[in-house]
Amino acid sequence: MKRLSWIASVAGLGLVGALGGAWASGVVTAQDAPESLLPPGFDDPVPAPTPTPVPTALPTAAPQPATPQPGTPSVVQPGPAPVLGDLPSVPQISSEELSELPSVEELEEMSTDQLDDLLGLKPQYDIPPAARRSLSQVGLLDPEEGGLPTESLSRQPAALVRAVLGGTRKPLVSRWGHILLRRALASRLATPEGMNPVEFAALRAGVLNRLGEHVVARSLAQDVDTGNWNEALTSEALTAYIAAADFVGACPAVRLQGSAREDAQWVMLQAICNAYAGEGALAGSQLDRALGEELAPPIDVLLAQRYAGAAGRGRRAVEIEWEGVEELNPWRFALANAVGETVPEALIEDADPYYERTAAVGAMVPLAQRALFAQRAAREGILSAHAMIQLYSQIYADTSISGEAADDAARLREAYIADDPASRVAAMRTMWGTLDDELDQPDYAASVTTAFAAARISPSGALARHSGELIASMLTAGLDRDAASWASVVEQGSLGWALVVTARPNGGAVSEAAVASFIEENGSYEARKSAFLVAGLGGLGRISQSELNGLSSELDLALSRQTRWSQMIERAADAGNPTLVAMLAGLGMQGASWEQMTPLHLYHITSALSRVGLEAEARMIAAEAVARG
């Protein structure tokens, strides 16, 4: 009611002004005319100033203001104009510089970010000063979360760390070596002495990208404010964003850096970012121009148009034509997956392993196809046993999926719920590919998938002949205590025995005679399993030095030989530096298969890791070498 009466009173005032003073005089009796609400003097007309000549020099004393007469409003009179000095000279613009200025049409097509970049208005940072993060420590895992010691590299020479990380160019042969190196690279670390923190982050992100750990590389780059990125970190971050099919995630860096790059990929990313910033028309014209000027292969631009079009209201139809496309590249593979475009199988069959690693973790990839890609990711350590179980659980729940992936999902379920242990082991052996031939090397990806199912099998003499396969599967997930429970069942000299004595925690000494029995029974190619067993037990300190020398001589291992790398990792172990040891171990385990791994490297890796408090990782690496050698 108060609000309505206020509205009525306002309307009444308006009516008073409209009808004139006759009606108003009959209502307002206390005054003859409406009273001004302005302060005195504000409703009087300002007198026109009298023109005064500009003085040739400043007055020596300021003029005193005149005393106002009573009742006269105070009006501030303008003072004398100051003397202007010489105006700064206007810089002359050459005709060449004028020709480089964009035309009106080009200005109209520029995005807000491009205009800011052209006019020098683009900020260096996109984060307020109070929210910017320190570069004193960069990484994802604190020591309390499983990360390695924060200050472990802070006093190491920059040249050494740069050489180790720069030299790690390939994936590792060891799954457990991969897991350890990923942990070291993702740890929250202080920068080595004499190195720029952003360079350190870029080096680490580069190794993670080369390992196929693009999601971790992206997270590591994001731990550095975008305004601090240098060219190297920008490049590694974009590699990670594209591999993860997270094109929009790259937009803060793309829009902040503007025209820092002019390559085709950068131009297409700018268009995509413009589209998702609400500038769809500009993005469309940019991609149309890129297509017309053949800035990139047509398939790459068309996929970018499809992706950018999803941000607008127009939903412009873009037809993707794969005819004539003879190879994949990361850009077109990621964009095709992101927009749901099926990549021809012919392009995938002979493609680089990079595509298997990236698609294995791509949520947009169909489950059956992802199961195929996940095999490599499981073998290399990118995917855990838990991740593989979750993947096959989704496949089993989707009744529309058939073929090999559905069969493996059913077998994995059988490995958990079959009525008797023998049936469960048979289901696992079918997945491993060893059901028909005892001598076949188990499929290691399948061993990773069945790790927890294998741990549910109680030790039994009836299943002792399968103990090697079962224990190897358990150890892919680090289930060392479950594996050790088979110690009373396995036969000395068997594969199961070798894995137990290598992997069990707090393991005691192993006799030379027991190792000799394994060497005698083992029929692996060039006795590699035997060589790895001796090197692993020697590195773990589970056989004496004299016995190690004798066995090494018998197998011609030359474990006493020194290389520059072995000297470096031994010195890092002497200094008690687990991070540097882990990185050097990764440097020494590069390769495509265990055939490229030497017993000498395994010996020094397991020895150094054991001495710096990473004995559990040393045991898993040694056992993996025996299982896969």
Side-chain angles (χ1 to χ4, degrees):
M1 293 299 292
K2 291 182 179 180
R3 176 176 177 84
L4 291 175
S5 62
W6 177 83
I7 295 174
S9 65
V10 172
L13 290 175
L15 186 61
V16 168
L19 297 180
W23 185 88
S25 62
V27 177
V28 182
T29 59
Q31 62 184 50
D32 296 330
E35 182 182 358
S36 174
L37 299 180
L38 296 175
F42 277 82
D43 55 352
D44 293 336
V46 178
T50 303
T52 55
V54 178
T56 57
L58 288 176
T60 57
Q64 297 299 321
T67 303
Q69 298 296 324
T72 304
S74 300
V75 179
V76 178
Q77 298 295 333
V83 176
L84 300 177
D86 295 334
L87 292 173
S89 59
V90 179
Q92 298 297 317
I93 301 177
S94 65
S95 58
E96 182 179 354
E97 291 173 326
L98 283 172
S99 64
E100 294 176 355
L101 292 175
S103 63
V104 175
E105 292 77 11
E106 290 173 333
L107 287 172
E108 290 177 347
E109 293 182 357
M110 285 186 177
S111 66
T112 304
D113 282 346
Q114 289 173 321
L115 284 171
D116 288 345
D117 195 26
L118 176 66
L119 300 175
L121 301 177
K122 185 178 290 295
Q124 184 179 1
Y125 295 96
D126 58 347
I127 300 175
R132 293 173 193 166
R133 290 167 291 183
S134 170
L135 291 173
S136 60
Q137 298 174 5
V138 175
L140 311 175
L141 295 175
D142 283 326
E144 295 80 7
E145 300 169 319
L148 298 183
T150 301
E151 300 293 332
S152 52
L153 296 180
S154 60
R155 300 185 63 184
Q156 297 300 320
L160 172 62
V161 177
R162 190 178 292 116
V164 172
L165 295 178
T168 308
R169 309 296 305 174
K170 303 175 183 177
L172 311 187
V173 300
S174 168
R175 167 184 167 81
W176 278 104
H178 175 109
I179 294 171
L180 173 61
L181 182 57
R182 177 181 62 200
R183 176 185 168 196
L185 294 169
S187 295
R188 183 169 291 277
L189 300 174
T191 306
E193 184 177 354
M195 181 182 288
N196 185 293
V198 181
E199 179 194 0
F200 186 40
L203 288 171
R204 291 156 64 189
V207 177
L208 287 166
N209 278 328
R210 293 190 287 273
L211 292 176
E213 293 286 355
H214 304 291
V215 174
V216 184
R218 177 182 61 179
S219 299
L220 181 65
Q222 289 173 338
D223 198 50
V224 178
D225 291 345
T226 312
N228 291 325
W229 287 9
N230 60 10
E231 183 179 351
L233 184 56
T234 300
S235 177
E236 296 298 347
L238 291 185
T239 298
Y241 278 118
I242 291 171
D246 183 13
F247 296 91
V248 178
C251 288
V254 172
R255 295 179 73 84
L256 187 64
Q257 296 187 25
S259 57
R261 288 169 46 173
E262 297 180 354
D263 55 277
Q265 191 176 92
W266 186 264
V267 171
M268 290 188 289
L269 273 173
Q270 285 182 312
I272 288 173
C273 294
N274 288 334
Y276 282 86
E279 299 175 342
L282 173 61
S285 65
Q286 287 175 317
L287 291 173
D288 287 341
R289 188 184 307 113
L291 188 63
E293 296 177 357
E294 299 182 353
L295 189 65
I299 184 66
D300 294 348
V301 183
L302 291 173
L303 287 168
Q305 286 180 330
R306 173 81 66 84
Y307 190 92
R313 295 181 179 179
R315 296 293 191 271
R316 178 172 133 184
V318 178
E319 183 177 354
I320 305 299
E321 180 57 61
W322 290 95
E323 185 176 355
V325 179
E326 298 179 354
E327 62 180 2
L328 284 177
N329 62 32
W331 175 268
R332 65 184 59 148
F333 184 70
L335 273 175
N337 289 328
V339 302
E341 180 69 26
T342 302
V343 179
E345 291 186 9
L347 295 178
I348 299 177
E349 288 178 355
D350 300 325
D352 187 89
Y354 163 90
Y355 302 101
E356 297 180 63
R357 299 184 184 107
T358 58
V361 296
M364 72 292 292
V365 178
L367 289 171
Q369 191 176 30
R370 202 194 316 169
L372 297 175
F373 297 142
Q375 305 307 306
R376 177 179 293 277
R379 286 195 300 270
E380 294 183 354
I382 298 172
L383 290 181
S384 66
H386 278 296
M388 295 297 289
I389 293 170
Q390 291 172 355
L391 173 60
Y392 279 108
S393 296
Q394 294 178 67
I395 292 172
Y396 183 82
D398 191 341
T399 56
S400 65
I401 298 177
S402 59
E404 185 177 352
D407 294 340
D408 281 341
R411 294 187 189 106
L412 181 60
R413 185 172 185 272
E414 188 73 9
Y416 276 96
I417 67 168
D419 294 335
D420 59 278
S423 299
R424 284 184 271 158
V425 171
M428 284 185 271
R429 298 191 68 226
T430 302
M431 294 185 67
W432 299 334
T434 62
L435 186 63
D436 299 327
D437 191 341
E438 294 280 352
L439 298 179
D440 278 352
Q441 182 80 353
D443 181 277
Y444 197 65
S447 295
V448 174
T449 306
T450 60
F452 291 97
R456 291 165 56 89
I457 303 295
S458 300
S460 166
L463 298 174
R465 67 183 185 278
H466 306 309
S467 61
E469 298 166 334
L470 289 168
I471 294 170
S473 180
M474 298 176 211
L475 294 178
T476 63
L479 304 175
D480 52 357
R481 296 189 183 278
D482 295 283
S485 66
W486 285 77
S488 61
V489 175
V490 295
E491 181 181 353
Q492 180 174 296
S494 66
L495 176 61
W497 168 86
L499 295 176
V500 167
V501 299
T502 303
R504 64 185 174 189
N506 304 317
V510 181
S511 68
E512 183 178 6
V515 177
S517 66
F518 179 82
I519 296 173
E520 183 178 351
E521 294 294 329
N522 183 258
S524 64
Y525 178 70
E526 293 182 353
R528 292 183 63 80
K529 288 184 184 293
S530 300
F532 286 143
L533 176 64
V534 171
L537 292 175
L540 294 170
R542 298 190 174 183
I543 53 178
S544 66
Q545 187 62 48
S546 60
E547 291 175 333
L548 176 62
N549 293 337
L551 292 169
S552 175
S553 177
E554 178 183 344
L555 296 174
D556 194 22
L557 302 183
L559 297 182
S560 60
R561 183 170 62 90
Q562 290 290 332
T563 66
R564 188 175 180 183
W565 170 86
S566 67
Q567 292 172 345
M568 195 177 302
I569 197 170
E570 289 297 324
R571 289 180 61 186
D574 291 340
N577 194 317
T579 307
L580 187 56
V581 167
M583 291 180 176
L584 285 166
L587 180 66
M589 284 192 283
Q590 298 179 83
S593 71
W594 276 93
E595 294 180 359
Q596 296 172 280
M597 184 71 172
T598 69
L600 176 68
H601 282 74
L602 181 65
Y603 170 72
H604 286 289
I605 288 169
T606 53
S607 173
L609 290 174
S610 299
R611 290 156 57 192
V612 296
L614 297 174
E615 194 252 0
E617 287 80 359
R619 289 186 284 111
M620 293 303 103
I621 291 172
E624 181 188 355
V626 175
R628 302 180 70 183

